[in-house]
Amino acid sequence: MTQAKRAFRDDRAPWLGDNPPMKIPRSLFRTLLLTLPLLLTAPNPLQADVPSLQAAVDPQRLSAFVERGMELWQAPGMAVAVVSSDEVLYQRGFGTTAIEDGAPVDEHTLFANASTTKAMVAAGLLMLVDDGRLGLDDTAASHLPELRFSDPLLTRELTLRDLLSHRSGLPSTDFWTFFQKMPLDEQVERLAAVEAAAPLRTRHIYQNTMYELAGLIIERVSGQRWDRFLAERLWQPIGMRETFGARGQIGAGFSHVLPHSYLDGKVEVTEWDLPADLADAAGSAWTSLHDMSLWAQFLLRGGVTADGQRLLSEGSFGEFFKPQMLIAKKDFYPVAALTEPHWRSYALGWFQQDFQGRPIDFHTGSLSGLIAIIGLDRAGDRAVVVLGNRDHAELRHAILWEVMDRNPAGARRDWNQAVFDLYRDAAATRAEEWQKKERQRLRKTQPALPLAAYAGRYENPALGAVTIEVERRGMLLRTASLALPMAHWHLDTFLLEHPPWELREFAEFRIAPDGKVASFDLFGETFTAGAGSDTGNP
């Protein structure tokens, strides 16, 4: 699950830009969508000149590369594999499951799949397509009759294909999962209060809730919860016996990592993002490097297991990787500044771009303290998997492109240093922007009312209820899962911070004519005071 922890702002995920997307002429858009599938399946003219994969993967060099990256990012543990369709070319664990009393990481250590789960959920829906039980262009509401959106057009037209390709036009609704621990049935109900950020099928906006709906559709159609369906129809036939739908399903005989963050120059264990028993189709699965290698090989074989069993028809497998939505440059991964793709797209659970003349399919996964990436060069019969236990340890991108780089070893970019410098410079830019805000802050101002007057319960029809409490050092905004300190900034504006997520947001209060707090704005939404307390709250 991409880990945009904001609410309904048009903010995609932390690795995405903040600028509006470039406008693409409709004629060019259609041409590219028709051409990209041909590019993705066409033979690679460079392939004949490429040395064998075995020669291209130097275990000693790759191990040293990973160890160097772990030093740069101070990652406690990593697991890395490189495979072809019929051979494991490299598979190794590094470091430890935890900084205190941890066990050594190996190929059977369990890590969070996070959003790399999405492609598996998409594969599950495609299996139901093969069964003749649904179609990708079925409307979501035809399988979820309770589903309603603020725009009736979206209710009527949103399809399963739209759910899987992040083109609903809805902003992120991650607040429900990460702040509110909101059950899915309530999320479905509150979707009716969410205003779209873009018209349907006009913009790629990463949307985890749409994948939760996809998981719910699997359950409605198959009669099995999405993870149980995948275990029976996908994971077990492939041989993935170390893969689970949620952390709480992990048995006592398995070793798994703990999540870590890097704060104030120190690596420390951080809190779990998701409850142990939550099976969330957007990204709650756990797996091992061993199993992810099997999954990658299954994909390189075109949907066929090692023993020759076809789990996805050729038609469905083609749909799996067919580009569904072009992605604007500003809405893509920052590392694209280094790989310089000519096009960027999203398929069904896959980001896509060209690299050195070849199409690459990949997807990251991120939860607090946990990261993953899987990348496929299907034309070149090569895949890489990276799993880690440090929040946003972006050496995952460096490893991906080091493995995909077909230049001679001595002629390659230093991907480790280049990726590290890219994110370091971005962090420095954010720090400069924050300093600018600090300089604009009004000094020596006070809130209009005593702090106790701001306390109480506030409601938002989309986000749900939050509570503001007064404590010795100021105020707290309390959601179902977090207590965020609120420090006075100036006038009736307060700053909320949550360092593990690098979260800084402002809450701006409005005072009514009767001298009481009427509401406050946060995350681009308005929370209104109820009746009955100091703010009028119950």
Side-chain angles (χ1 to χ4, degrees):
M1 177 177 310
T2 67
Q3 62 302 4
K5 301 297 192 306
R6 301 172 188 244
F8 291 131
R9 174 173 293 187
D10 182 18
D11 63 351
R12 287 86 43 175
W15 38 263
L16 299 177
D18 292 324
N19 296 327
M22 61 183 180
K23 293 184 178 179
I24 302 172
R26 287 183 179 273
S27 59
L28 176 59
F29 184 86
R30 282 194 225 97
T31 300
L32 287 172
L33 282 182
L34 290 171
T35 305
L36 280 175
L38 301 176
L39 292 173
L40 293 173
T41 55
N44 185 353
L46 300 177
Q47 193 169 345
D49 299 326
V50 175
S52 69
L53 285 174
Q54 290 83 350
V57 179
D58 180 339
Q60 185 174 0
R61 173 186 168 88
L62 185 54
S63 293
F65 184 91
V66 175
E67 289 167 348
R68 169 61 178 150
M70 290 177 69
E71 289 176 4
L72 284 171
W73 291 92
Q74 299 194 35
M78 302 287 294
V80 179
V82 182
V83 301
S84 67
S85 58
D86 60 1
E87 187 174 357
V88 174
L89 306 171
Y90 182 91
Q91 195 175 75
R92 182 181 165 186
F94 297 82
T96 181
T97 58
I99 54 174
E100 294 183 10
D101 302 321
V105 172
D106 62 25
E107 67 271 23
H108 299 290
T109 302
L110 301 187
F111 288 81
N113 288 66
S115 283
T116 65
T117 305
K118 287 181 170 67
M120 299 174 181
V121 171
L125 274 178
L126 288 167
M127 288 178 171
L128 291 172
V129 171
D130 287 340
D131 292 346
R133 303 175 72 178
L134 53 74
L136 283 178
D137 295 313
D138 292 354
T139 64
S142 68
H143 296 285
L144 303 173
E146 70 274 32
L147 186 62
R148 294 288 183 275
F149 297 98
S150 61
D151 183 353
L153 176 68
L154 195 59
T155 305
R156 188 173 67 247
E157 299 293 337
L158 185 75
T159 67
L160 276 58
R161 191 186 300 273
D162 298 324
L163 297 181
L164 298 178
S165 52
H166 301 295
R167 61 186 198 184
S168 68
L170 294 178
S172 168
T173 46
D174 286 347
F175 188 92
W176 291 337
T177 298
F178 296 109
F179 284 77
Q180 298 287 52
K181 295 183 180 178
M182 190 179 291
L184 184 53
D185 58 351
E186 184 179 350
Q187 293 185 39
V188 172
E189 182 179 347
R190 289 187 181 272
L191 277 169
V194 179
E195 295 293 330
L200 176 65
R201 302 180 194 128
T202 64
R203 182 180 182 181
H204 178 274
I205 302 175
Y206 200 84
Q207 228 296 342
N208 282 308
T209 303
M210 297 302 100
Y211 265 83
E212 294 183 66
L213 297 183
L216 183 57
I217 291 171
I218 289 176
E219 180 176 344
R220 295 281 177 88
V221 174
S222 71
Q224 295 176 287
R225 198 173 69 186
W226 67 269
D227 55 323
R228 292 167 185 159
F229 178 84
L230 291 183
E232 180 181 313
R233 294 285 301 272
L234 186 69
W235 297 336
Q236 291 175 14
I238 292 175
M240 299 170 65
R241 295 178 176 83
E242 299 170 355
T243 301
F244 306 92
R247 176 166 46 92
Q249 299 172 18
I250 298 173
F254 292 93
S255 172
H256 69 78
V257 297
L258 296 182
H260 296 78
S261 60
Y262 183 75
L263 293 172
D264 299 324
K266 180 182 178 183
V267 176
E268 57 187 37
V269 175
T270 193
E271 296 181 1
W272 299 106
D273 251 346
L274 300 177
D277 60 351
L278 177 62
D280 187 317
S284 67
W286 278 69
T287 194
S288 66
L289 186 67
H290 169 270
D291 277 18
M292 283 295 278
S293 298
L294 295 176
W295 166 240
Q297 289 181 308
F298 167 79
L299 296 169
L300 291 175
R301 286 192 294 266
V304 178
T305 65
D307 60 7
Q309 181 183 1
R310 176 166 285 284
L311 302 184
L312 282 172
S313 69
E314 291 185 9
S316 285
F317 192 81
E319 290 287 346
F320 201 13
F321 290 97
K322 183 184 294 183
Q324 305 294 328
M325 191 70 198
L326 293 173
I327 305 177
K329 181 178 180 180
K330 294 293 185 181
D331 290 347
F332 205 62
Y333 290 85
V335 177
L338 304 176
T339 58
E340 300 180 321
H342 297 87
W343 52 265
R344 301 154 302 276
S345 58
Y346 198 87
L348 303 181
W350 297 101
F351 288 95
Q352 300 171 307
Q353 69 166 84
D354 62 294
F355 178 66
Q356 296 179 350
R358 311 182 318 274
I360 304 295
D361 310 291
F362 69 102
H363 210 291
T364 55
S366 302
L367 292 168
S368 285
L370 303 162
I371 58 100
I373 198 169
I374 178 172
L376 306 171
D377 176 358
R378 290 181 293 124
D381 191 30
R382 180 185 312 196
V384 58
V385 175
V386 181
L387 305 170
N389 65 343
R390 206 224 91 174
D391 195 72
H392 283 85
E394 301 303 346
L395 75 149
R396 57 182 167 177
H397 290 282
I399 297 169
L400 168 66
W401 298 116
E402 168 68 17
V403 171
M404 295 301 177
D405 196 334
R406 287 186 173 175
N407 287 315
R412 290 180 198 167
R413 181 196 295 268
D414 182 349
W415 290 103
N416 259 331
Q417 195 64 51
V419 171
F420 184 78
D421 290 347
L422 180 74
Y423 280 89
R424 181 194 58 193
D425 293 346
T429 298
R430 290 194 299 273
E432 291 174 3
E433 292 171 349
W434 180 251
Q435 290 172 2
K436 181 179 179 180
K437 282 189 173 68
E438 287 274 11
R439 291 193 296 270
Q440 295 170 338
R441 181 180 182 180
L442 302 178
R443 305 294 174 177
K444 298 181 180 180
T445 68
Q446 297 293 326
L449 301 171
L451 291 186
Y454 298 84
R457 181 182 173 89
Y458 295 79
E459 293 272 357
N460 177 271
L463 298 183
V466 299
T467 302
I468 292 179
E469 302 173 358
V470 177
E471 60 160 14
R472 285 186 306 171
R473 291 173 295 177
M475 298 196 300
L476 287 176
L477 182 136
R478 191 176 296 278
T479 70
S481 57
L482 290 173
L484 302 174
M486 299 180 68
H488 181 249
W489 182 254
H490 61 207
L491 301 176
D492 283 317
T493 297
F494 290 76
L495 172 65
L496 283 78
E497 292 189 278
H498 188 56
W501 296 347
E502 297 185 6
L503 174 68
R504 282 176 172 150
E505 290 288 335
F506 291 103
E508 300 178 29
F509 287 86
R510 291 191 181 92
I511 312 300
D514 63 3
K516 294 183 179 181
V517 177
S519 64
F520 69 87
D521 290 343
L522 179 67
F523 303 123
E525 292 285 312
T526 298
F527 291 80
T528 303
S533 74
D534 289 339
T535 60
N537 300 319

